[in-house]
Amino acid sequence: MSLYGEQVLPRILDRTMGMGFLDDVRRRATEGLAGDVVEIGFGTGHNLPYVPAAVTRVRAVEPSRVSVRLAADRIGAAPFPVEVVGLDGERLPLPDASADAVLCTFSLCTIPDPVAALQEMRRVLRPGGSLHLVEHGRSPDARVRVWQDRITPVQRRLFGGCHLNRDVPALLEQAGFDASQLDAHYLAGQPKPFAYLYEGRAAPVRR
């Protein structure tokens, strides 16, 4: 990994992903979490202040060691243990049916194989568990999609592989989740190509 990707980008993301306009999004994403939670794309721990007291443990998956170091104060302030258990969302080092919930915010966009990662999330969920998700993705508006497709190659180079144009509901359904309960909207006050959000809960389709 380049010096930029290893040392600089985690610090940029720590600042940008900690901006106040995301507070309500994080609050909604973490609402209702309880028990043993696996967080994919933990980053620098910006979700931790919003995680409810009913959570007994967070097991964090995060590829950037610098990001984990930057999260030290948030981890220390959490009222539950936070364990970093893996680097790669596509291959979770966790047993089947070992999590009450999975939390994934603004992370599917950068995972090289998002379907593989979602299948792993599905695998580790216990019966009755759900995925709490926030992701930016492909807009339903043709003009916005044109810009998303134009910008994504540059976005990927600058922001660790981030895609603006992934079809999040389609990825969820391909991985065996019911995506019908997701809300989709533009984040107010932000440029539309970057701000079309899918958020809510997705339950595994039990076969």
Side-chain angles (χ1 to χ4, degrees), residues 38-42 59-61 89 92 102-105 107 111 117 121:
V38 174
E39 181 171 3
I40 308 299
F42 177 77
R59 287 180 286 173
V61 178
L92 300 179
V102 173
L103 174 64
C104 183
T105 61
S107 297
I111 295 174
M121 297 179 213

Side-chain angles (χ1 to χ4, degrees), residues 112-155:
D113 188 341
V115 172
L118 286 164
Q119 289 172 335
E120 280 289 88
M121 297 179 213
R122 184 176 182 273
R123 179 184 65 80
V124 303
L125 277 170
R126 292 181 178 130
S130 61
L131 167 61
H132 291 232
L133 176 78
V134 177
E135 190 57 73
H136 62 153
R138 194 159 186 81
S139 167
D141 302 320
R143 290 183 180 180
V144 177
R145 288 199 303 270
V146 167
W147 281 105
Q148 288 180 321
D149 292 340
R150 286 176 178 171
I151 297 169
T152 287
V154 177
Q155 179 84 358

